[in-house]
Amino acid sequence: ALAYYFANKEALVEAAYVHVFDRTNERIRTAVAGKRGVPALRAFLVEVLPTTELTRLEARIVLPFWSRTVTDERLARLNDAAMRRWRHELGALIAEGREDGDVTVDTADDVLVEQFLATALGLQVLGLLPEAPTSPDVQQAMLDAALAGLSPR
């Protein structure tokens, strides 16, 4: 039934990815509203983790998209643009955390951005493993442990 609306499977995969990315960004905007720095960073990343029925469904859409970016330059550019946006937003939140005194680690901000992005995106894979997925509680604990590392005592 969907084939009628899309020229090919790649177009369907692209449309699904764009939809998921847009919906995730809407949730992120809502989650970070009124927050800044580390609390906003946590709120942002929680929306990416596959810890709910909705976010697990979204991860099931994103994973096949990522596999196609390896061989489809157009899809790769789309993903790269999305990740550039998230890198910029995560970097701004980390900078706010530094201003607020909540990020004191010596690690460069761009490295922290990559660490948090890799954690969130990696958990999209681990959270969907069929035999032993990483549970939502463990995902949240991993995120909190990484955030605690921003200000070692």
Side-chain angles (χ1 to χ4, degrees):
L2 289 176
Y4 176 79
Y5 298 101
F6 299 97
N8 54 40
K9 189 169 185 172
E10 284 70 29
L12 172 62
V13 169
E14 177 180 347
Y17 174 80
V18 168
H19 176 75
V20 166
F21 187 72
D22 289 346
R23 295 290 298 150
T24 302
N25 285 327
E26 289 172 17
R27 286 196 319 273
I28 289 168
R29 275 191 300 279
T30 300
V32 302
K35 298 178 179 79
R36 60 176 274 123
V38 174
L41 179 63
R42 185 182 193 285
F44 181 113
L45 293 166
V46 163
E47 294 304 323
V48 180
L49 301 181
T51 58
T52 67
E53 187 176 330
L54 173 63
T55 53
R56 282 190 298 275
L57 173 62
E58 290 175 341
R60 284 187 201 98
I61 292 168
V62 169
L63 293 178
F65 173 84
W66 285 339
S67 71
R68 292 179 184 277
T69 64
V70 175
T71 57
D72 186 320
E73 186 176 324
R74 186 175 49 76
L75 295 181
R77 285 193 309 269
L78 180 65
N79 186 69
D80 288 347
M83 293 305 100
R84 274 193 303 276
R85 174 181 175 170
W86 279 6
R87 283 180 175 104
H88 173 76
E89 292 173 5
L90 292 171
L93 296 175
I94 291 168
E96 287 177 359
R98 284 202 190 276
E99 291 171 12
D100 297 344
D102 295 329
V103 177
T104 59
V105 68
D106 290 336
T107 307
D109 288 3
D110 61 332
V111 173
L112 294 173
V113 166
E114 292 302 313
Q115 176 184 352
F116 284 111
L117 193 59
T119 299
L121 300 184
L123 283 170
Q124 289 200 346
V125 176
L126 295 175
L128 294 184
L129 293 175
E131 294 298 319
T134 303
S135 73
D137 289 343
V138 171
Q139 291 179 52
Q140 297 273 349
M142 290 173 64
L143 175 59
D144 290 337
L147 290 168
L150 293 174
S151 186
R153 291 173 175 72

